[in-house]
Amino acid sequence: MFARFSNARKSIARFFAFTSLLWLAACDVTVAPDANVGQQINPDAPIDVALLVPGGSAQSTDNLLAQNFENAARLAIADLEGATVNLRVYNTAGGNPEQAAIAATQAVNEGAKIIIGPLYGEAANAAGVAIAGRDVNVLAFSNNRAFAGGNVFILGSTFDNTAQRLVRFATNQGVSRFMIVHGEDLPGRVGRDAITNAIQQNGGELSGVESYPLSQQGIFSATRRIVSNVRSSGAQAVFTTAGANADLPILATSLPDAGMDTSRSRFIGLTRWDTLPQLAALPGLDGGLFALPDPGPAALFANRYSATYGETPHPLAGLAYDGIAAIGALAAAGNSEALTRAALTQPQGFRGTAGVFRLMPNGLNERGLAVATFQNNQVVILDQAPRSFGGPGL
């Protein structure tokens, strides 16, 4: 097994590099006041929109993302019907909060009525605080709930949303006892809390919480303890925060190898499993549950982007398209309140690049997700993503 996962530490390092795009330490967070509701506009005139991207960074990944966000935003503008957007793009030097604050202030001074971006949570928070009191909302690309609220809405898919979808589906299938297994880092702890809340809110029972250090040896050292507690608790599901490119392959192999019966206690994943095809071949994940965006709209956007720019879009690129599309849809309806909190948080939501989504008054979002599993080394959709919102929740 050690030879099989000899590159696990490198994978975990790559995982940290990716998740740092969205997750930053949630300390000293200042949320802009709730009084900021957004400006009225003339829906027949061009709407001044600022796009804050992580360009001007020393990191090539930031600059790649910056270009993807701009490409997707301009693609959305070209697709608008009945509305016109005047887009200005501002760099935030990666996730630099000071630069994000400067960019947001400059954007509003230059006439921006709404801001889309930035990416990193602390940068989004800084942008929102910098323009607090100026009646301009921020639709950030982050998925970190710690920075949502006031005039800042987050567009990124949240752990809360995924956990709610999966727990709701599992309980409807007769699963009532859940064990949470998470890595000892910020995303692991945030994921743990999201799963805990989802279990409590959907009538499930939390049979235990287990954690492990984020290293190959750390996972192996925790394996027997985790398996023993899964057995003794009678957990019907092991809900893990593990990432596909990092700890999940090790966890999904070591726990069954140590005696965890996945036919009695199947894995449920807070992260997407379909992003790494090799995972489908792991026996431990066969029959497990995970969530993914609506495949139809996601494929349409990827094809449209590739046909226009000659390359595959970054997985986060669609967030920029979604922000522009939502603004355009509200303006095209002749809504002079299109950029206000009330309009942005309309219950019916919007159709986005990954399916339906809606912004919530607390700054979070809800996205329609499909529930999938692995069967015979293939991804199988068990419950299609909803195509509309039927009420307060899916």
Side-chain angles (χ1 to χ4, degrees):
M1 182 185 297
F2 283 84
R4 186 176 180 181
F5 296 106
S6 60
N7 293 321
R9 294 183 190 276
K10 293 181 180 179
S11 296
I12 291 175
R14 290 195 297 270
F15 174 68
F16 287 156
F18 176 76
T19 54
S20 67
L21 295 177
L22 301 177
W23 291 97
L24 293 173
C27 55
D28 300 324
V29 177
T30 304
V31 176
D34 285 336
N36 203 321
V37 297
Q39 300 181 22
Q40 288 192 336
I41 61 168
N42 176 359
D44 296 323
I47 304 167
D48 290 320
V49 176
L51 179 68
L52 270 59
V53 298
S57 169
Q59 302 296 322
S60 60
T61 52
D62 286 335
N63 297 313
L64 173 65
L65 272 163
Q67 189 60 61
N68 270 253
F69 285 138
E70 182 175 352
N71 288 348
R74 296 198 182 283
L75 192 64
I77 291 171
D79 289 344
L80 292 179
E81 296 182 1
T84 305
V85 166
N86 178 29
L87 186 73
R88 291 191 178 95
V89 182
Y90 302 82
N91 288 329
T92 62
N96 187 303
E98 292 79 13
Q99 186 57 40
I102 291 171
T105 302
Q106 180 183 351
V108 175
N109 288 343
E110 294 178 351
K113 298 297 189 292
I114 193 167
I115 292 174
I116 300 177
L119 171 63
Y120 295 88
E122 288 183 348
N125 181 64
V129 171
I131 59 172
R134 300 190 66 178
D135 245 12
V136 175
N137 288 310
V138 176
L139 308 185
F141 300 133
S142 174
N143 68 348
N144 193 333
R145 66 172 295 133
F147 302 104
N151 62 335
V152 177
F153 297 86
I154 59 174
L155 290 170
S157 182
T158 66
F159 282 166
D160 304 80
N161 189 64
T162 302
Q164 289 285 343
R165 177 68 164 116
L166 289 169
V167 171
R168 190 179 301 121
F169 178 83
T171 54
N172 287 339
Q173 299 297 309
V175 176
S176 59
R177 296 176 60 82
F178 298 82
M179 170 79 73
I180 299 174
V181 177
H182 69 92
E184 295 172 356
D185 68 339
L186 176 61
R189 292 189 293 273
V190 173
R192 172 202 62 199
D193 294 343
I195 298 167
T196 300
N197 291 337
I199 292 170
Q200 294 171 345
Q201 293 171 15
N202 289 279
E205 179 181 346
L206 179 59
S207 61
V209 178
E210 297 292 335
S211 66
Y212 53 84
L214 275 177
S215 69
Q216 178 176 315
Q217 188 54 47
I219 295 173
F220 288 150
S221 66
T223 294
R224 291 191 181 279
R225 167 176 50 84
I226 294 172
V227 172
S228 175
N229 289 336
V230 169
R231 286 173 172 172
S232 63
S233 70
Q236 298 166 284
V238 173
F239 207 143
T240 175
T241 64
N245 288 311
D247 39 345
L248 181 60
I250 308 173
L251 199 70
T253 302
S254 62
L255 296 189
D257 283 353
M260 190 180 91
D261 185 351
T262 56
S263 67
R264 294 177 177 271
S265 306
R266 63 175 169 174
F267 281 105
I268 300 179
L270 193 59
T271 61
R272 286 183 63 177
W273 295 354
D274 60 312
T275 56
L276 191 66
Q278 300 92 310
L279 291 178
L282 293 180
L285 297 183
D286 191 64
L289 301 177
F290 62 98
L292 72 165
D294 191 335
L300 287 174
F301 169 70
N303 292 338
R304 175 95 165 82
Y305 186 102
S306 298
T308 304
Y309 299 109
E311 59 186 16
T312 302
H314 187 281
L316 299 179
L319 298 177
Y321 190 106
D322 288 353
I324 294 290
I327 294 167
L330 292 169
N335 188 352
S336 62
E337 307 282 336
L339 306 185
T340 65
R341 173 186 299 277
L344 292 170
T345 59
Q346 61 177 12
Q348 65 267 37
F350 309 95
R351 296 192 182 278
T353 57
V356 295
F357 73 98
R358 59 182 171 185
L359 300 172
M360 312 301 285
N362 61 3
L364 300 178
N365 68 75
E366 186 174 10
R367 290 182 173 271
L369 299 173
V371 177
T373 189
F374 288 142
Q375 292 178 3
N376 300 319
N377 296 344
Q378 300 290 326
V379 175
V380 176
I381 303 295
L382 298 176
D383 195 29
Q384 296 289 340
R387 300 299 171 88
S388 63
F389 292 101
L394 284 177

